[in-house]
Amino acid sequence: MRQVEVAVIGTGWCGGIRAETLSRSALVDKLHICEIRPERLQEVKELTNPATATDDYMDIVKNPAIEVVYISTTPEQSHYPIARDCIKAGKNVLLEKPLALELSEADELIALSKEKGVKFTIGYSQRFNPKIAYAKKSIANGTLGKVVNVMVSRHLSRNLGKKIANRVKLSPAAMESTHDLDFVFWLLAPAKPVRVYSQGAYGYMKDLNGSYDCMWSTVTMDDGTLVVIGGGWNLPPSFPNYCGTWIEITGTDGALILDDTSRDNWMNTVKDGTYFPMSTMPGEQVDHAFAGQMGPETLHFLEAVLLDTEVMVSPEHARTVMEAYTGADISAETNEPVGLPLSNHSLAILADLKGH
């Protein structure tokens, strides 16, 4: 197996995880990092011992030796231009969600990746959660029979919700339920979403950026399967970065209930009180082991490039997810069901909502 030069652009929370994971991999010849905050660049530099460290992502784009790039930048508006430049330079790209902020941008990135013949995927790491993988297996092998409905309820602490909501005006559906829309559509493939109806409730987040505290979306699939997904980011702040998820899948021959609330890891100290370690959505490094999904996902993409195998998440699938949460946003504002794929009428409503 040959080694490869890789880069991580944006080394905050998720990018830092990816950089540390890659720095430990025997598949990586040289690691390059890019970060615009000098103090964080120095911190990750000390953690990963990269070949180069820069504050200008064009240094990564212009380096022909770098074959694989992980883009973990914020704010989310930066995803499209950086991914575009990397793909144009012939680099294989893993891009954190969202794929883009506009469907036209998503279409351009997908077309560019095909034109350049590079691998392009979106960081939907929940597919690497063993519980989700087990659900996929249970559906695929027929244990549950025909799936009738899927329910997912995911909620974050308001500490994390505030951090996310303050950097970009995207809804809980777009920023949190997007993960669940991804893996549920994956579980139910080849079924496709044909309609979404969504409602949102205001609370703590409204004064911060006008966002809903939570959104619940009902998606109808073309085979009649019913999907209900709830996402919120207003749990009390006592659990920093906490994420808790409850999943119910019922079929004609069985049911699968998955408790992914992380209540099985319970720490209680005099200083900090009760908290749940290893409960963040991406996961965290615990000495020699990675507790969570993002570490394995990072290496999977690298192996897909080196072995020339399929990526876990196709960009076309990510576009379908993008259309679904966009439809949810339109539905929540209009109080009407929205057909999928989005019609010209729905896109016109979206443009009005964005003030275009």
Side-chain angles (χ1 to χ4, degrees):
M1 177 66 67
R2 71 183 180 91
Q3 292 180 309
V4 67
E5 291 194 34
V6 305
V8 179
I9 301 176
T11 59
W13 182 18
C14 293
I17 289 173
R18 297 201 189 277
E20 286 194 66
T21 299
L22 292 165
S23 72
R24 295 182 175 93
S25 174
L27 299 175
V28 175
D29 179 22
K30 293 178 181 178
L31 172 66
H32 306 262
I33 62 172
C34 175
E35 171 61 50
I36 61 174
R37 294 171 298 163
E39 69 285 354
R40 180 58 178 167
L41 182 64
Q42 182 60 34
E43 182 181 1
V44 178
K45 187 176 178 180
E46 292 172 2
L47 286 170
T48 62
N49 190 30
T52 64
T54 180
D55 63 359
D56 184 353
Y57 82 88
M58 289 305 296
D59 291 336
I60 305 294
V61 172
K62 294 175 181 178
N63 186 338
I66 297 171
E67 295 182 47
V68 184
V69 180
Y70 296 78
I71 301 172
S72 301
T73 55
T74 57
E76 283 68 16
Q77 291 93 325
S78 66
H79 286 196
Y80 161 71
I82 296 177
R84 177 200 60 203
D85 292 346
C86 287
I87 293 171
K88 278 186 175 181
K91 303 186 188 302
N92 302 283
V93 170
L94 183 150
L95 175 65
E96 306 290 358
K97 59 82 182 168
L99 168 59
L101 296 189
E102 303 288 344
L103 289 167
S104 59
E105 295 173 345
D107 290 337
E108 182 181 347
L109 293 179
I110 293 170
L112 269 175
S113 67
K114 291 185 180 303
E115 176 187 330
K116 293 295 183 178
V118 298
K119 294 192 183 294
F120 178 41
T121 193
I122 305 304
Y124 280 126
S125 57
Q126 290 306 298
R127 295 196 191 192
F128 291 85
N129 181 332
K131 295 176 181 178
I132 303 303
Y134 183 75
K136 177 68 171 176
K137 178 182 178 181
S138 299
I139 292 171
N141 66 18
T143 300
L144 301 180
K146 180 191 180 300
V147 177
V148 177
N149 78 280
V150 181
M151 189 281 289
V152 183
S153 176
R154 180 183 301 277
H155 297 274
L156 307 180
S157 75
R158 62 179 55 178
N159 284 0
L160 182 54
K162 179 179 179 181
K163 180 179 178 181
I164 296 170
N166 274 348
R167 71 176 185 238
V168 62
K169 194 179 187 309
L170 290 172
S171 69
M175 293 302 288
E176 300 313 317
S177 294
T178 180
H179 289 282
D180 306 305
L181 289 165
D182 166 67
F183 79 70
V184 170
F185 292 169
W186 177 57
L187 295 180
L188 299 178
K192 300 287 186 183
V194 294
R195 186 168 56 256
V196 59
Y197 176 68
S198 186
Q199 292 283 272
Y202 289 110
Y204 174 77
M205 292 291 172
K206 185 175 184 181
D207 292 338
L208 296 179
N209 78 336
S211 168
Y212 295 119
D213 271 32
C214 65
M215 289 178 69
W216 282 86
S217 302
T218 300
V219 181
T220 305
M221 308 298 286
D222 61 7
D223 65 353
T225 305
L226 186 64
V227 175
V228 180
I229 293 178
W233 42 20
N234 68 345
L235 294 183
S238 54
F239 309 129
N241 296 339
Y242 174 79
C243 174
T245 310
W246 184 265
I247 303 166
E248 297 180 7
I249 305 171
T250 61
T252 54
D253 296 331
L256 179 62
I257 311 299
L258 299 171
D259 183 345
D260 202 27
T261 58
S262 298
R263 291 176 294 183
D264 51 342
N265 304 310
W266 183 3
M267 178 71 81
N268 194 345
T269 68
V270 173
K271 178 176 178 289
D272 298 317
T274 296
Y275 62 95
F276 301 124
M278 298 175 289
S279 63
T280 65
M281 189 183 297
E284 60 195 74
Q285 191 72 36
V286 182
D287 289 337
H288 66 285
F290 190 87
Q293 295 78 242
M294 190 165 282
E297 177 192 46
T298 300
L299 296 179
H300 182 276
F301 181 63
L302 189 59
E303 291 168 354
V305 172
L306 289 168
L307 296 172
D308 193 22
T309 54
E310 291 296 318
V311 297
M312 180 59 73
V313 181
S314 73
E316 292 85 357
H317 177 95
R319 189 194 187 283
T320 297
V321 173
M322 182 180 178
E323 217 167 2
Y325 66 65
T326 301
D329 286 341
I330 296 170
S331 176
E333 290 297 321
T334 62
N335 289 313
E336 297 287 344
V338 173
L340 298 171
L342 295 175
S343 66
N344 288 335
H345 175 67
S346 293
L347 291 172
I349 294 174
L350 178 64
D352 288 341
L353 292 174
K354 290 183 175 183
H356 288 178

